[in-house]
Every structure is written in structure tokens, then in C-alpha cells.
Amino acid sequence: AQSVTQLDSQVPVFEEAPVELRCNYSSSVSVYLFWYVQYPNQGLQLLLKYLSGSTLVESINGFEAEFNKSQTSFHLRKPSVHISDTAEYFCAVTRGTGGGNKLTFGTGTQLKVEL
Amino acid sequence: GAVVSQHPSRVICKSGTSVKIECRSLDFQATTMFWYRQFPKKSLMLMATSNEGSKATYEQGVEKDKFLINHASLTLSTLTVTSAHPEDSSFYICSASYSQGSYNEQFFGPGTRLTVL
């Protein structure tokens, strides 16, 4: 089985500052990795994903994440955050093959961007 | 594209009544739909996976007689919370996917907030 750990439940940061949201996973097989964002009282939106290929993946709104197999991590970063980035961020993992595409989620990190 | 809707967005019911939540894929045919439950300040917990025309597969610890799932068509799945009690109050989110190659991305609905009085 897979598991995901998001150590930081809440990350406060000032606008225009850089941020890193940490995600570590555990799995005995190859995995696909995802970051989702959830705004209050809404469903999840896919931010970015790693399936294969380049270990650095980027989103259209400036976020990026790097798959590090040796450290079993998939940390999310943004060099300069905006107020509108305030939301809950979930890291998720699924088996690369044969997993039925079931997602296992971390407990989430609340990113709070302040002026 | 790949839009998923849920109805209702919010429902309040009395203890002992049943509540039905609909999940629809609006612009694609969903071969698989998933139902999740999210507690406050908690992650999403997968409740069940349903394939069109088949019985749902429930995760361990989820009562199948309590949470009835029907996936009658390629665009609609329903979750019925039977004899609801206050502890069933939660945010329920569905997702839908279709065959896309190596990985079938899940597209999430906006969620349904259930409050049982």
C-alpha cells in the first residue's frame, strides 16, 4: 500500500515570498504523484502531476514540484506567492500500474498568504 | 472539458432520513466514478469505486448498506446515505475518470456538504 505524509498542516507566508510545501510518500512499487488544490467549500483541482519523464513538473500558475525518488519526496514550490494562492493543498499518490487509479491523499497543508 | 457536477451542493436533513447525492460527468463518459468523504481539517478518504453497470467496490470499513452507490449510466453516479445520523455529517466529493492511457486522471466534483441534525 502507498502512504503520503505532509508534515506541515499550516504554512503562513507573506505575499511575494517563496514557499515550499513538503510531501513524502511511501511505496514499494513505482508511483504517480499529484498535487491538488482545494479552495473553501469546493472540490479538488489538479495542480500538477508526475507520471514519468522529467522529474521537474510545472503548473500554469507558477507552481512546480520535483520528484525525488531517492528521498521519496515530491515537494511543491513557488518562488513568489499571491494572496489568491491561499488554499488547502493535498499531495496524492497512486500505483504506477495495477492500482486501479486509486488515489491516496496526504492530510493537506493550509497555505495562508498574508499581506 | 472534463467537468464534473454534484447535486445538491448543500443539504440539511433530519436524523433517520435518507439523502441522495448525484454526481454527473457533463462532457465525457465516465467509466469509473469514485466517492470520497472529507472530515474537517482532514484528508479525503476513499469510500468506494464504481464502474458503470457494476456493483461498487467499497473500501474497508465503509458500510455498503449505509452508503448505497449506483452507477447506472456513463454520466451519472449516485450516493445515498441511508438512515442518516449526525456522525454522517461531512463533505462528500465524487470524481470521475475515463480511459486516457497509462493513467486515468480523476476529475473532481465541487462536493456536497451534508449536515444531519
Side-chain angles (χ1 to χ4, degrees), chain A residues 4 59-60 79 101:
Chain A
V4 178
S59 72
I60 58 173
N101 296 321

Side-chain angles (χ1 to χ4, degrees), chain A residues 56-69:
Chain A
L56 183 66
V57 289
E58 299 176 350
S59 72
I60 58 173
N61 56 355
F63 283 96
E64 64 177 32
E66 186 161 19
F67 170 55
N68 188 318
K69 188 175 182 179

Side-chain angles (χ1 to χ4, degrees), chain B residues 4-57:
Chain B
V4 176
S5 70
Q6 279 184 245
H7 178 78
S9 59
R10 185 181 295 267
V11 58
I12 301 173
C13 70
K14 293 182 179 180
S15 186
T17 61
S18 293
V19 175
K20 180 184 284 188
I21 302 170
E22 292 185 349
C23 176
R24 293 182 185 272
S25 57
L26 298 184
D27 52 3
F28 67 99
Q29 293 187 321
T31 49
T32 305
M33 287 186 168
F34 302 82
W35 285 96
Y36 296 84
R37 182 173 178 175
Q38 186 179 33
F39 294 94
K41 307 289 186 185
K42 295 289 185 182
S43 182
L44 278 76
M45 301 298 295
L46 179 64
M47 299 174 66
T49 303
S50 76
N51 294 297
E52 186 264 340
S54 303
K55 286 185 178 180
T57 301

Side-chain angles (χ1 to χ4, degrees), chain A residues 71-115:
Chain A
Q71 297 187 6
T72 60
S73 68
F74 191 56
H75 301 330
L76 181 69
R77 295 187 290 262
K78 189 170 185 179
S80 177
V81 295
H82 299 121
I83 287 287
S84 60
D85 293 324
T86 295
E88 189 85 23
Y89 291 79
F90 291 96
C91 183
V93 64
T94 189
R95 282 182 62 164
T97 55
N101 296 321
K102 289 184 180 181
L103 290 169
T104 299
F105 287 88
T107 49
T109 297
Q110 173 69 41
L111 174 63
K112 187 173 182 182
V113 181
E114 302 168 349
L115 292 172

